[in-house]
């Protein structure tokens, strides 16, 4: 049974005003999150280019992917589409496609760096960004997940999972950057990037199937 159907069965006869309030909250959370993702993108990509860190650049691109997914949720709950199963399914597919873009980019770049033995520079800015994001993204993911379950929207829960993944990726990035900074383990950076790609690939498949992670 699909997650969408399971969620919908929990919502018999939701009052229109209650649903409208939840849809507004979903849009606000997605829009607010997108504002941070754009800042995150600028910091991560700038620091990543300066340090030659594919993991940091990949993390920045992940921020754009998250912003695109957030935009899909804003679209889903605008113009009266929130109750449409066709729109819900389309939103799931668009979010899944956003994961595929991220996986393709990071997989190619990280593999190239590992084979070429490219040594990234230390990035304390990147370390600070990763630490901050690891602490804050789970809170955003939790809020979005609650709204998604309240609305019976698998797409919203899947989008919340992207924010939770961002926290996991922050931890992987933090470990890689610190290993490079403190121990000179240059390979830890592209290795962390491959962890990012693997997690994103798994969640992309789940999003395409209409499934959602209960861990976020």
């Amino acid at each position: 049974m699909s997650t969408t159907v399971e969620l919908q069965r929990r919502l018999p006869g939701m009052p229109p005003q209650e649903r409208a309030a939840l849809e507004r909250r979903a849009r606000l959370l997605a829009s607010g999150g997108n504002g941070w993702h754009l800042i995150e993108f600028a910091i991560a990509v700038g620091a990543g280019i300066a340090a030659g860190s594919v993991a940091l650049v990949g993390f920045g691109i992940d921020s754009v992917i998250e912003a695109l997914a957030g935009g899909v949720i804003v679209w889903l709950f605008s113009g009266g589409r929130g109750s449409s199963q066709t729109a819900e399914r389309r939103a799931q597919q668009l979010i899944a496609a956003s994961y595929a873009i991220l996986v393709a980019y990071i997989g190619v770049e990280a593999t190239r760096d590992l084979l070429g033995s490219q040594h990234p520079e230390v990035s304390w800015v990147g370390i600070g960004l990763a630490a901050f994001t690891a602490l804050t993204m789970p809170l955003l993911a939790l809020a979005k997940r609650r709204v998604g379950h309240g609305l019976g929207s698998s797409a919203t829960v899947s989008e919340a999972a992207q924010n939770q993944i961002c926290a996991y990726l922050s931890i992987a990035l933090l470990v890689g950057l610190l290993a490079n900074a403190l121990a000179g383990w240059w390979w830890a950076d592209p290795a962390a990037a491959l962890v990012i790609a693997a997690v994103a690939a798994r969640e992309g498949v789940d999003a395409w199937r209409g499934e959602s992670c209960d861990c976020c």
Side-chain angles (χ1 to χ4, degrees):
M1 183 183 296
S2 72
T3 301
T4 301
V5 173
E6 291 174 355
L7 289 174
Q8 288 174 335
R9 286 185 173 180
R10 303 174 190 173
L11 306 169
M14 176 184 289
Q17 289 183 339
E18 182 179 345
R19 182 173 184 88
L22 284 173
E23 289 187 0
R24 283 195 301 272
R25 188 175 182 188
R27 290 195 302 269
L28 285 173
L29 286 170
S31 298
N34 282 358
W36 165 247
H37 293 323
L38 294 177
I39 296 172
E40 189 178 62
F41 165 76
I43 296 173
V45 171
I49 291 174
S53 168
V54 66
L56 259 176
V57 174
F59 188 75
I61 293 177
D62 174 65
S63 300
V64 175
I65 302 305
E66 288 185 80
L68 291 174
V72 170
I73 297 303
V74 172
W75 168 82
L76 175 61
F77 294 115
S78 301
R81 285 181 287 266
S83 300
S84 167
Q85 287 309 298
T86 299
E88 171 73 21
R89 183 59 185 147
R90 181 62 56 83
Q92 292 172 352
Q93 292 172 333
L94 289 171
I95 290 171
S98 72
Y99 279 111
I101 297 170
L102 175 67
V103 171
Y105 172 81
I106 295 179
V108 170
E109 291 299 316
T111 301
R112 186 181 67 178
D113 276 13
L114 280 172
L115 294 177
S117 299
Q118 178 176 330
H119 296 201
E121 300 293 330
V122 174
S123 176
W124 293 107
V125 172
I127 289 170
L129 175 66
F132 178 80
T133 305
L135 294 173
T136 56
M137 281 299 106
L139 300 177
L140 180 60
L142 178 61
K144 288 183 176 181
R145 184 172 182 259
R146 285 175 174 170
V147 171
H149 280 291
L151 289 167
S153 170
S154 179
T156 305
V157 176
S158 293
E159 198 264 329
Q162 277 203 359
N163 296 139
Q164 185 64 39
I165 289 173
C166 183
Y168 298 151
L169 304 187
S170 299
I171 295 171
L173 177 65
L174 185 60
V175 170
L177 293 177
L178 284 174
N180 182 51
L182 301 178
W185 294 352
W186 64 267
W187 48 266
D189 184 277
L194 289 177
V195 172
I196 292 174
V199 175
R202 185 200 68 186
E203 291 301 327
V205 171
D206 287 348
W208 182 265
R209 291 173 177 171
E211 300 173 355
S212 55
C213 175
D214 288 334
C215 62
C216 63

